[in-house]
C-alpha cells in the first residue's frame, strides 16, 4: 500500500470543481492551513484569491467556497462546523462577501472523503449533483429528470436511497432553484447553512445537491491526549449535571421548558428525543414527532433564538425567575412558557422544505412586530395585492401561502419578495425603506432588531453586543449577552451574590482585572469585551467550534463559573502544532479579521456601513434603562476605539500596510497600494 | 476456555442517545484507527431523517460464541483480563464469516466489518475500561454484568 504522508488532522486537499467545463482539480490544504488553520480562515484566503470584486454573486465565475473546521470529524466536543464563503446575493445595497456555516456530520464526512474543503465554480448547463466519495473521488451526476424540483426532504430521501443511509447530503430546495435570495442549503441531519443566501448561489450553478460519503480516516497527532481532553470536557458537563441536579440548559432547551409540545410529549401524543451534531455532548437539538403524523422535525438553537424572544413568550408567562421546569398548563407556568405548539412545529418544517431562511420570514417567533407585519400594518401588503390570507395570520395556512409564493416566485408579490426585504422595500418606496432601515442591520438582510430585543429580555443588552453586530458579518459574533450569561436553568443565575462573583472571576481570568464585566453597557469596557469576543469568534470559526457553546466567558459547568479555552490544546492534540491561546488570539485571529476586512473594503464596504439599525438611537433598547437610547456620537467614538484597538486606521477602519505585512498578508497590502 | 466470573458487556439506552457518535470516535482512536467513526468496534446507527432514533450494534458478549466457532483463522481469542473474546486483528483475514454467524443468533449483527482495514471488529471492552462508556456525554452507555 502506498502510504501518503499528510499533516495530521487534515485530509490534505481542497477540491476544486468547475461546473462549466466539468473539470475537477485540487489545491494543497497546507498552503492555506498553515496561516489560517481551517474553516472560516481558509474560506477567507480562498475568497481573496478567487473572487475579484467585479464578479457578481450569481455569475458563473462566482465561487462557492467550503472549508471544514480544523476540529471537525475528530471527536472534539461541539466542533462539527464547516464554513462557507461566497458573494452573498442577499446583502444590501450591494452584494458582499458573506460567511455561513453548517453543523451536523457533513464536515467530518468530507474530510474522510479526502477533502478539507471544496471550491465550486462555473455553471452547469443542466441540473446536476456532485458525488464526493471514497478517498478523493468525485462524480458530477445529472439531476435533471428525477431530482430537480423536489423539496429538500424529498431530495435527501432520494439521494440516500441511491447512495446509502451513511451518505451526508447538502441540498437546496425549490427556493434555491428559483434563485430566491434568502435560500438555504439543508443537510440530511436537519442542519442548514442559512445566512446570506448560499442556496441561491448553489441554485445559480444548477447544482441541486452535494452527496458526501467518505471511506478514509483522519490521522490524529496525539490520540491519547485527545481522548483525555475530550473526557475532560465531557466530564465537566456530566459531573456538574449529576452533582447539582441541574438541568442541562442546552440539552433541555426544548424538553425542559414548558411548552405545548412538551405537554403533548408528556401525554404521549408526541415524542421528543435529544439530537446532536457530530461528537457534541450538549445535544442542543431535540427531535420531535407527533404520533398522529401532523409534523416531525428537529428543534434547533437557531430557532431557539427566535423562540426566546419576547413575542414567543405568551402574555401568560408568569414569573420568569423560578427554577422549576414543571408545569401543567400555560396558566400556571412558572418558567417562561415557550410558544412551541403544533403551528410552530409545522411552520418550521415548511421553511426547511422549501429551503428558505427562517430568520428572513420572521415566522418562527410568531412575532407580529417583524418587518413583514409592519408592512402589512402600513398597508403596503394587502390581501388584494399579495393574495395572502390575512385573516389567517399566525396560522399554518398563512405561512404556507407566503412560503410557497416566495419559493416559487408566484405572482408579482412572490417574485418581488423573493428578492429579499431590502430590495422589496426599495421597490415599494421611501416609506417602506424607512421601515427597513429602522429595523434591519445594513448588509445583513436577515438580521433584525427583534433579535436584539431578546438580549434586553435577558437584562444584558449592551455595547459589547451592538459593537460586534455593527462590525461583524455573522449574527453569532454579537450575542455578547449570551457569552456573559449563565443559562437560566442553572440555580446560580438567581443568586445575585454568586453571579457577581462569577463575573469577577471571569473578568480576572480573561482580562487580568476583576471589574471589566461589571458593566458591559459602558462604551469603554464594552469595547474591551467586544474586542476579546470577536477574536475568540475567529478562532472558534477556524477550528469549527459551535457558536452556541463557545466562546462562553461565564459557564454554568465549571466550579468557578468561568468558561475555559481549549482551542490551543485540541489543536495540538490533533495536528501536533504547538501554539498558545495568546498566539491564536493576537496573531491568527487578527490575521483573519484583517483579511476579512480587506475583502469587504475591496468590495466597497466602508466605515459608515458599520452601523446598527436606527431604532437603537430613538427608543429604549438599552438594558436596565427602559427610557434610554444609544447616543450616535458615543457609538461612533466607541467604533473608532474598536478600530484603534485592532491597529486599524481609526477613521476608515482599514488595516495599515505595516500591520498586514506583520501578519504575513503582504499580497493583500500590495493590492491596495497598486490601486492607489 | 473458562470464563471469569465478572464478565461484563456494554448496555445501550436508546432513549438517552443523541446520536453524537462520541463513542465511535473514542473507540476508533483507542484502537489506533485514527478519527473514523466507521472504524469503531461499536456502531450506533441513527435515523437522522426520521426522528433521530438510534440503534446500537455492539457485542452482547453472549454465551453462544457462534463467531468464535465460525472463524477459520482463529482470530477471536479469549482475553484473560476481561473474560471475553476479542478480535486479534493480526490474524483476522476479514472474511466476514463471524458477522454472518453472529447474525444467525442476533437480529442485528454485533460484529462490524471495517472495509478500509479489511478486518472484523467487535467490542473488547478496551481490556476492561471501555472508553465509549467513559466518554459518552449523555450517559447512554453503561457497563453491566452478564447474567450467567
Amino acid at each position: 500500500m502506498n502510504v501518503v504522508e499528510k499533516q495530521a488532522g487534515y485530509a490534505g486537499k481542497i477540491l476544486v470543481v468547475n461546473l462549466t467545463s466539468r473539470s475537477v482539480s485540487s489545491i494543497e490544504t497546507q498552503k492555506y492551513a498553515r496561516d489560517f488553520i481551517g474553516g472560516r480562515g481558509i474560506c477567507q484566503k480562498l475568497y481573496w484569491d478567487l473572487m475579484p470584486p467585479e464578479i457578481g454573486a450569481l455569475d458563473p465565475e462566482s465561487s462557492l467556497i467550503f472549508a471544514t473546521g480544523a476540529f471537525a470529524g475528530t471527536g472534539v466536543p461541539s466542533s462539527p462546523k464547516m464554513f462557507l464563503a461566497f458573494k452573498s446575493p442577499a446583502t444590501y445595497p450591494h452584494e458582499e462577501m458573506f460567511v455561513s456555516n453548517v453543523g451536523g456530520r457533513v464536515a467530518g464526512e468530507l474530510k474522510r472523503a479526502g477533502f478539507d474543503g471544496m471550491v465550486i465554480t462555473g455553471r452547469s448547463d443542466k441540473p446536476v449533483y456532485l458525488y464526493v466519495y471514497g478517498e478523493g473521488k468525485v462524480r458530477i451526476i445529472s439531476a435533471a429528470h428525477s431530482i430537480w424540483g423536489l423539496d429538500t426532504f424529498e431530495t435527501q430521501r432520494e439521494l440516500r436511497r441511491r447512495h446509502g443511509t451513511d451518505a451526508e447530503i447538502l441540498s437546496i430546495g425549490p427556493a434555491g432553484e428559483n434563485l430566491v435570495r434568502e435560500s438555504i442549503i439543508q443537510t440530511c441531519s436537519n442542519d442548514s447553512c442559512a445566512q446570506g443566501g448560499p442556496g441561491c448561489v448553489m441554485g445559480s450553478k444548477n447544482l441541486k445537491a452535494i452527496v458526501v460519503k467518505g471511506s478514509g480516516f483522519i490521522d490524529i497527532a496525539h490520540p491519547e491526549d485527545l481522548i483525555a481532553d475530550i473526557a475532560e470536557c465531557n466530564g465537566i458537563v456530566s459531573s456538574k449535571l449529576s452533582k447539582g441536579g441541574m438541568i442541562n440548559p442546552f440539552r433541555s432547551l426544548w424538553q425542559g421548558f414548558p411548552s405545548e409540545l412538551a405537554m403533548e410529549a408528556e401525554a404521549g401524543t408526541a415524542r421528543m428525543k435529544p439530537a446532536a451534531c457530530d461528537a457534541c455532548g450538549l445535544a442542543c437539538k431535540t427531535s420531535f414527532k407527533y404520533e398522529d403524523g401532523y409534523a416531525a422535525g428537529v428543534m434547533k438553537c437557531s430557532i431557539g433564538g427566535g423562540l426566546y424572544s419576547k413575542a414567543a413568550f405568551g402574555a401568560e408567562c408568569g414569573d420568569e425567575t423560578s427554577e422549576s421546569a414543571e408545569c401543567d398548563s400555560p396558566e400556571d407556568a412558572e418558567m417562561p412558557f415557550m410558544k412551541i405548539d403544533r403551528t410552530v412545529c409545522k411552520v418550521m418544517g415548511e421553511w426547511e422544505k422549501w429551503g428558505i431562511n427562517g430568520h428572513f420570514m420572521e415566522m418562527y417567533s410568531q412575532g407580529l412586530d417583524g418587518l413583514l407585519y409592519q408592512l402589512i400594518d402600513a398597508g403596503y401588503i394587502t390581501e388584494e395585492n399579495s393574495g395572502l390570507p390575512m385573516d389567517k395570520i399566525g396560522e399554518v395556512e398563512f405561512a404556507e401561502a407566503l412560503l410557497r409564493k416566495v419559493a416559487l416566485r408566484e405572482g408579482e408579490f412572490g417574485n418581488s419578495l423573493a428578492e429579499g426585504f431590502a430590495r422589496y422595500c426599495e421597490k415599494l418606496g421611501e416609506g417602506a425603506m424607512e421601515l427597513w432601515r429602522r429595523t434591519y442591520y445594513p448588509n445583513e438582510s436577515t438580521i433584525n432588531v427583534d433579535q436584539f430585543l431578546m438580549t434586553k429580555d435577558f437584562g444584558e443588552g449592551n455595547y459589547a453586543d451592538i459593537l460586534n453586530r455593527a462590525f461583524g458579518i455573522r449574527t453569532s459574533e454579537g450575542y455578547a449577552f449570551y457569552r456573559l450569561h449563565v443559562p437560566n436553568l442553572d440555580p446560580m443565575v438567581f443568586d445575585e451574590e454568586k453571579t457577581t462573583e462569577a463575573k469577577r472571576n471571569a473578568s480576572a481570568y480573561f482580562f487580568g482585572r476583576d471589574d471589566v464585566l461589571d458593566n458591559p453597557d459602558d462604551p469603554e469596557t464594552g469595547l474591551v469585551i467586544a474586542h476579546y469576543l470577536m477574536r475568540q469568534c475567529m478562532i472558534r470559526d477556524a477550528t469549527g467550534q459551535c457558536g452556541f457553546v463557545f466562546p462562553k466567558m461565564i459557564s454554568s459547568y465549571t466550579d468557578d463559573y468561568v468558561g475555559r479555552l481549549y482551542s490551543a490544546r485540541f489543536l495540538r492534540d490533533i495536528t501536533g502544532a504547538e501554539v498558545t491561546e495568546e498566539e491564536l488570539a493576537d496573531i491568527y485571529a487578527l490575521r483573519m479579521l484583517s483579511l476579512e476586512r480587506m475583502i469587504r473594503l475591496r468590495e466597497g464596504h466602508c466605515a459608515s456601513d458599520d452601523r446598527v439599525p436606527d431604532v437603537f438611537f430613538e427608543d429604549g433598547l438599552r438594558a436596565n434603562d427602559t427610557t434610554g437610547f444609544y447616543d450616535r456620537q458615543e457609538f461612533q467614538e466607541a467604533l473608532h476605539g474598536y478600530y484603534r484597538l485592532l491597529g486599524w486606521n481609526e477613521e476608515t477602519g482599514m488595516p495599515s500596510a505595516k500591520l498586514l505585512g506583520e501578519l504575513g498578508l503582504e499580497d493583500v497590502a500590495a493590492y491596495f497600494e497598486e490601486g492607489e | 476456555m473458562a470464563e471469569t466470573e465478572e464478565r461484563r458487556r456494554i448496555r445501550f439506552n436508546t432513549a438517552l442517545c443523541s446520536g453524537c457518535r462520541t463513542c465511535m470516535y473514542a473507540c476508533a482512536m483507542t484502537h489506533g484507527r485514527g478519527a473514523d467513526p466507521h472504524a469503531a468496534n461499536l456502531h450506533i446507527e441513527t435515523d437522522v431523517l426520521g426522528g433521530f432514533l438510534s440503534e446500537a450494534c455492539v457485542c452482547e458478549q453472549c454465551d453462544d460464541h457462534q463467531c468464535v466457532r465460525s472463524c477459520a483463522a482463529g482470530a477471536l481469542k479469549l482475553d484473560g483480563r476481561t473474560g471475553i473474546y476479542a478480535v486479534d486483528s493480526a490474524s483476522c483475514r476479514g472474511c466476514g464469516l463471524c458477522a454472518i454467524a453472529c447474525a444467525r443468533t442476533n437480529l442485528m449483527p454485533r460484529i462490524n466489518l471495517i472495509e478500509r482495514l479489511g478486518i472484523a471488529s467487535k467490542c473488547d471492552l478496551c481490556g476492561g475500561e471501555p472508553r465509549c462508556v467513559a466518554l459518552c456525554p449523555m450517559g447512554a452507555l453503561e457497563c453491566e454484568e452478564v447474567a450467567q
Side-chain angles (χ1 to χ4, degrees), chain A residues 208-385:
Chain A
K208 176 71 177 172
I210 301 170
V211 182
V212 186
K213 190 177 170 179
S215 65
F217 70 103
I218 301 157
D219 195 18
I220 302 294
H222 306 290
E224 281 302 316
D225 295 348
L226 177 57
I227 292 171
D229 283 341
I230 295 172
E232 187 180 315
C233 281
N234 286 353
I236 289 172
V237 176
S238 306
S239 72
K240 188 80 178 183
L241 290 175
S242 53
K243 237 189 325 195
M246 186 180 85
I247 302 165
N248 181 341
F250 298 101
R251 204 176 289 170
S252 304
L253 188 57
W254 312 110
Q255 289 173 297
F257 270 113
S259 70
E260 269 179 50
L261 175 61
M263 281 159 59
E264 289 214 34
E266 189 93 354
T269 52
R271 227 175 25 203
M272 291 172 93
K273 189 177 178 295
C277 291
D278 215 11
C280 180
L282 292 171
C284 74
K285 303 187 285 188
T286 297
S287 168
F288 67 89
K289 193 175 181 181
Y290 285 100
E291 297 294 355
D292 59 7
Y294 180 77
V298 178
M299 293 282 177
K300 283 167 285 193
C301 62
S302 52
I303 295 158
L307 290 166
Y308 264 127
S309 78
K310 214 164 154 185
F313 297 136
E316 65 275 60
C317 268
D319 178 13
E320 291 191 15
T321 56
S322 167
E323 59 195 74
S324 160
E326 303 290 324
C327 96
D328 297 312
S329 72
E331 281 71 33
D332 25 287
E334 290 182 316
M335 290 282 294
F337 192 84
M338 293 189 106
K339 187 164 172 54
I340 310 173
D341 53 14
R342 286 179 170 246
T343 308
V344 170
C345 290
K346 184 82 175 176
V347 171
M348 207 172 61
E350 288 289 312
W351 321 316
E352 289 167 349
K353 184 179 106 183
W354 293 108
I356 298 179
N357 187 353
H359 285 279
F360 164 63
M361 279 305 171
E362 304 175 329
M363 295 295 299
Y364 52 87
S365 65
Q366 304 282 302
L368 300 187
D369 48 0
L371 185 57
L372 180 74
Y373 305 103
Q374 290 181 35
L375 291 171
I376 292 171
D377 285 346
Y380 288 106
I381 302 172
T382 62
E383 190 149 350
E384 290 70 42
N385 70 17

Side-chain angles (χ1 to χ4, degrees), chain A residues 12 121 182 239 281 373 378 460-461 470 517 646:
Chain A
T121 183
E182 290 284 358
S239 72
Y373 305 103
E460 287 281 6
L517 300 183
L646 290 164

